Amino acid sequence: MREGPDIARIASLVGDPARANMLTALMGGTALTASELALEAGVSLPTASSHLSKLMEGGLLTLASQGRHRYYGLAGPQVAGMIEAITGVAAAVGPQRVRPGPRDAAMRVARVCYDHLAGEQAVAMLDRLVARQVLLRDDKEIRLGPSAASHFAAIGIDVASKARRPVCRACLDWSVRRSHLAGTLGAAILDKILLEKWARREKDSRAVIFSPMGRQAFERMFLG
Amino acid sequence: MREGPDIARIASLVGDPARANMLTALMGGTALTASELALEAGVSLPTASSHLSKLMEGGLLTLASQGRHRYYGLAGPQVAGMIEAITGVAAAVGPQRVRPGPRDAAMRVARVCYDHLAGEQAVAMLDRLVARQVLLRDDKEIRLGPSAASHFAAIGIDVASKARRPVCRACLDWSVRRSHLAGTLGAAILDKILLEKWARREKDSRAVIFSPMGRQAFERMFLG
DNA sequence: CGCATAGTTCGTCCTTTATCGAAGCATCGA
DNA sequence: TCGATGCTTCGATAAAGGACGAACTATGCG
């Protein structure tokens, strides 16, 4: 009964625990089926289906049907950004969660944030790239340094801006409370990490686990 | 029953229409009393009071008691950023609101976004400052240009970074879908506009109305 | 064609919570 | 000290919406 966009409608979609768990799961970047999301949210299939249709109707999800599988994914970076913003507030406002647990510890070290790497590793990487002046940062803004093109070309990443999306963007890390690298460059680096099998995705989690070899390679490449 | 920060808890706080209206009202940047917020949200005083204590408990608001008045305000820029992010998704997802109305038209032109200016005017200003190289922008990142210090000093704004907050930050405008200027510089410019009485705040709204004289002065200063 | 798997729809139960009137505190002004 | 105003707490009511089992639809496989 007031102005502007219907913010309560969107927020209440995220405000249900089952739906919040689904959205959080989808922050991993890969689309999931209804059954997987039901498991993830800890509800029955019918319940999950009902939630999913609400999220669809609200425009927060996209649906890709492949045979008898229906893959649900986040509707876009804007939605992902909103989830991260809410996560940030939730983390800042109340460490009233007890039991950090081993799952959370791994998440703090390295995890996927929609399409790029987040966590302590990612924050350290950005710090190092800035210290070496591959990237330049003024406060929270990041841009490419003079040596960036050749530096990333050497490891097979083309830094020439192609998409409408910014090449590098700062993304506030909810666990460390400092920025890590997002944007197409952040996404490309995560691709590289997984392609080279330096790390693997933990099943049913956003956590990213580096192998000992992979960690060395990553550190040589980005933290050296 | 899963990982990380309790995002559903925060989102459900914003997910109630009455509370959403209150938070939207507080995006104006000024703290308001419980009665004002009750009016704003269209609910009775007891109902508003109940909502406010929930928002307080959730850590989204701060409270300043002055005599028998109790002023509620947003807990900080992080909360404001979250609200803007949700607003952005809501605006992108569904222009299913009919009746844009005169209120909304004014809002699109110029409005307050927590502590800085947003809307078409603000977007135009940022564009112009970038074109004149007072500010430099790479994609979505903004930093000061060489002439920035002297340029802003001339109109009484000290650009030397003092607070922990970044001097300039990009903030995505939900109506125009492009960035405007936030950060301490954005806040200082809004202060200037109101101090010089180039514009006034519309009562009970985030809209900012420029006077004819004020508009000229503003354009001379920032769009010239 | 028939069975198995993936998913949605329907009907019903039940918890959650938003709402307001009335009464209770607290602070100000005289 | 005594109203008056601003706000909160209490108690009762009503409505919204989340949960699941059972039945239904659709796709794939043999």
Side-chain angles (χ1 to χ4, degrees), chain B residues 57-80:
Chain B
E57 197 182 1
L60 299 189
L61 298 185
T62 52
L63 175 58
S65 292
Q66 284 177 20
R68 60 178 157 183
H69 296 272
R70 312 189 71 184
Y71 290 96
Y72 291 92
L74 291 188
Q78 198 178 15
V79 174

Side-chain angles (χ1 to χ4, degrees), chain B residues 112-210:
Chain B
V112 172
C113 174
Y114 188 52
D115 63 358
H116 57 271
L117 194 70
E120 290 160 8
Q121 287 254 21
V123 171
M125 177 182 80
L126 177 57
D127 284 349
R128 199 70 194 97
L129 288 173
V130 168
R132 284 197 285 172
Q133 308 208 358
V134 176
L135 299 181
L136 307 176
R137 164 157 62 175
D138 314 292
D139 285 307
K140 282 219 186 336
E141 291 77 42
I142 303 170
R143 62 211 156 86
L144 298 172
S147 66
S150 64
H151 183 273
F152 286 110
I155 54 178
I157 292 176
D158 179 19
V159 114
S161 175
K162 41 233 150 196
R164 304 162 302 168
R165 259 180 89 193
V167 175
C168 41
R169 247 187 56 225
C171 182
L172 190 64
D173 205 294
W174 60 258
S175 51
V176 188
R177 299 288 286 279
R178 294 182 48 214
S179 292
H180 58 249
L181 185 64
T184 52
L185 180 55
I189 291 177
L190 176 60
D191 282 348
K192 175 81 175 172
I193 290 169
L194 297 176
L195 191 69
E196 299 282 350
K197 296 213 195 311
W198 292 343
R200 61 182 170 78
R201 297 282 311 275
E202 173 140 355
K203 183 132 173 55
D204 294 335
S205 159
R206 290 168 63 189
V208 170
I209 318 282
F210 278 77

Side-chain angles (χ1 to χ4, degrees), chain A residues 87-146:
Chain A
T87 308
V89 170
V93 143
Q96 55 238 36
R97 280 290 173 109
V98 270
R99 289 234 297 136
R103 221 315 184 33
D104 280 349
M107 291 268 290
R108 248 188 296 280
V109 172
R111 67 180 180 277
V112 172
C113 174
Y114 188 50
D115 63 359
H116 56 271
L117 194 70
E120 289 161 8
Q121 287 254 22
V123 170
M125 179 183 77
L126 178 57
D127 283 350
R128 198 69 193 101
L129 288 173
V130 168
R132 283 197 283 172
Q133 307 208 359
V134 176
L135 300 179
L136 307 175
R137 166 157 61 173
D138 315 291
D139 284 306
K140 285 219 184 338
E141 293 76 43
I142 303 170
R143 62 209 156 87
L144 298 171

Side-chain angles (χ1 to χ4, degrees), chain A residues 156-186:
Chain A
I157 294 176
D158 178 18
V159 114
S161 176
K162 42 232 148 197
R164 303 162 303 169
R165 259 181 90 195
V167 176
C168 42
R169 249 188 55 225
C171 181
L172 190 61
D173 205 293
W174 60 256
S175 51
V176 186
R177 299 288 285 280
R178 295 183 47 214
S179 294
H180 58 249
L181 186 63
T184 52
L185 179 55

